[in-house]
Amino acid sequence: MLSDQIGVGRPAVREALAALQREGLVERLAGGRPRVASWTAEPDAQATSVRRARSVVAAIIPQPPSYTIAHAIQGGLSRALTRTHARMGLLVYDTYLAGGEQASHGVHPETEALQRAEAEGVAGIVVWGCGAQGSEEALLRLQRSGVSVVFVDHRPGSLAFDFVGVENRSGVRDAVAHLVGLGHRRIGYLSHPERQSTIVEREEGYREALHRHGLYLDPALLFRGGSSFEVRAAEALAQFMALPSPPTAVIAFNDLHAFDLIRSAGERGLRVPIDLSVVGFDDAEQFSPQPSVLTTVRQPFREIGYRAGDLLLRRLGSGAPISEPRLHILLAPTLTVRTTTAKPPNR
């Protein structure tokens, strides 16, 4: 055995062979042992480029300027890549489009990033997908060519890819339980019209929690709204407060919407949490140097990035066929109670 000959354990040998395989120096055929890859005394430029590309991973993540979540995921991914003995490079593609900004040449940045990553010949991709038109075709093409892909945050719909995220339903159920424990019985929910997995699962958690606590699900307390954060929050509050029995608390499907709710409440003369309790989801404030105020459901974003990178490296090192079953890793979110929730007002 090679491990006996060089005096090291089998795990170290497997890790070294995986690193050589990523460098293109060792190849593994289906059902066979690793062997030295075919090469010539003077490799041409194309072969050198391919070998170099096998040591590169791409991160395709939208990165709004004021949203530090993407940077945390990217940081966790970088930490995972630096733990390997192989020198893994990281290409980062920002797919964020500001409000009103148009995609260049009619191609969404996500689709363009996937096409560029494919052209670069990357070994693997971590993607925070938004389901842009054309992305599915590019993803399937990458998968057929043997490129490992791991999704974060959103599940990849019906596509068979690895995924790392959180238990969205349990996070919202914990938020509802917290509000019920304070005495709230009329709890609104501010959602989003898109049907991405995170949005759907958090809505389901809201419905499940109301049922669990014996509370009536009033359809008027579930608001999906349009595409503008500010307009959505203002419209949601207008709908909620016009009800014969308005909510005493509102859960927003993410922190941005929660802060918009708080601003809109102030414009209506409502005091948070005296008149209205507000809960978010994400805990973007965990990265802020300022004192945090929002009661929210915290996602472990650095851990999500790290686990996605670790899973990607394991896929690259295993040499497993693309038909192997995909893994979905769900981490536990944590309710973080701060100053935007309190007992309901006496009405």
Side-chain angles (χ1 to χ4, degrees):
M1 295 292 291
L2 181 58
S3 59
D4 296 330
Q5 294 176 15
I6 61 178
V8 299
R10 292 185 182 182
V13 172
R14 285 196 296 268
E15 188 173 356
L17 288 173
L20 291 172
Q21 184 179 351
R22 287 192 293 270
E23 291 287 344
L25 302 176
V26 167
E27 61 186 10
R28 184 196 299 268
L29 301 178
R33 294 176 176 273
R35 68 181 186 183
V36 177
S38 301
W39 64 285
T40 60
E42 296 181 358
D44 57 25
Q46 181 178 3
T48 302
S49 175
V50 169
R51 190 157 52 244
R52 184 183 305 115
R54 287 175 180 171
S55 296
V56 174
V57 167
I60 300 176
I61 301 176
Q63 302 185 49
S66 61
Y67 217 40
T68 55
I69 287 172
H71 306 301
I73 292 177
Q74 184 180 317
L77 171 59
S78 298
R79 184 162 61 91
L81 296 181
T82 57
R83 288 187 67 251
T84 178
H85 293 297
R87 296 187 299 273
M88 299 295 293
L90 180 62
L91 292 176
V92 179
Y93 298 96
D94 180 6
T95 57
Y96 172 67
L97 278 177
E101 186 179 347
Q102 299 296 317
S104 61
H105 312 296
V107 180
H108 192 279
E110 178 178 296
T111 305
E112 184 179 6
L114 288 168
Q115 293 170 347
R116 291 175 62 187
E118 181 180 17
E120 290 284 349
V122 299
I125 300 174
V126 172
V127 56
W128 186 344
C130 62
Q133 186 175 4
S135 292
E136 181 173 332
E137 180 182 346
L139 284 164
L140 291 174
R141 189 167 58 248
L142 285 161
Q143 187 182 62
R144 287 193 295 267
S145 66
V147 177
S148 297
V149 178
V150 178
F151 272 74
V152 295
D153 189 70
H154 303 328
R155 293 179 187 270
S158 59
L159 301 179
F161 289 103
D162 291 320
F163 167 76
V164 180
V166 298
E167 289 277 5
N168 289 293
R169 295 180 184 85
S170 69
V172 176
R173 288 198 299 263
D174 289 345
V176 172
H178 165 65
L179 294 171
V180 171
L182 290 173
H184 296 274
R185 295 297 180 268
R186 295 281 289 172
I187 301 171
Y189 189 83
L190 175 55
S191 188
H192 193 282
E194 293 182 3
R195 298 291 85 191
Q196 293 174 341
S197 63
T198 51
I199 298 169
V200 173
E201 289 169 4
R202 291 173 196 178
E203 274 189 28
E204 290 174 349
Y206 167 71
R207 296 172 184 273
E208 292 168 3
L210 292 184
H211 178 74
R212 177 176 297 182
H213 292 282
L215 300 178
Y216 168 64
L217 175 59
D218 186 345
L221 290 180
L222 174 59
F223 186 90
R224 288 179 179 159
S227 60
S228 168
F229 289 154
E230 289 79 9
V231 171
R232 182 183 297 115
E235 290 180 353
L237 276 179
Q239 173 177 306
F240 293 158
M241 304 315 291
L243 296 173
S245 179
T248 57
V250 178
I251 301 171
F253 94 96
N254 69 14
D255 286 355
L256 290 178
H257 287 66
F259 282 118
D260 287 326
L261 270 171
I262 292 171
R263 281 193 291 271
S264 297
E267 293 169 358
R268 295 180 65 91
L270 295 172
R271 298 163 298 172
V272 175
I274 299 172
D275 301 314
L276 182 71
S277 288
V278 176
V279 181
F281 201 114
D282 285 340
D283 195 15
E285 284 191 300
Q286 64 183 286
F287 309 111
S288 173
Q290 302 297 323
S292 302
V293 298
L294 182 65
T295 294
T296 186
V297 178
R298 171 179 290 192
Q299 293 198 61
F301 289 107
R302 288 194 177 94
E303 182 67 13
I304 289 173
Y306 180 84
R307 295 291 289 272
D310 181 67
L311 176 55
L312 186 64
L313 289 173
R314 282 191 280 137
R315 288 294 190 194
L316 296 177
S318 69
I322 60 174
S323 59
E324 181 176 298
R326 301 295 94 182
L327 295 177
H328 283 194
I329 298 175
L330 298 180
L331 305 178
T334 306
L335 179 67
T336 303
V337 178
R338 298 195 182 103
T339 63
T340 60
T341 51
K343 294 181 178 180
N346 294 320
R347 292 178 177 170

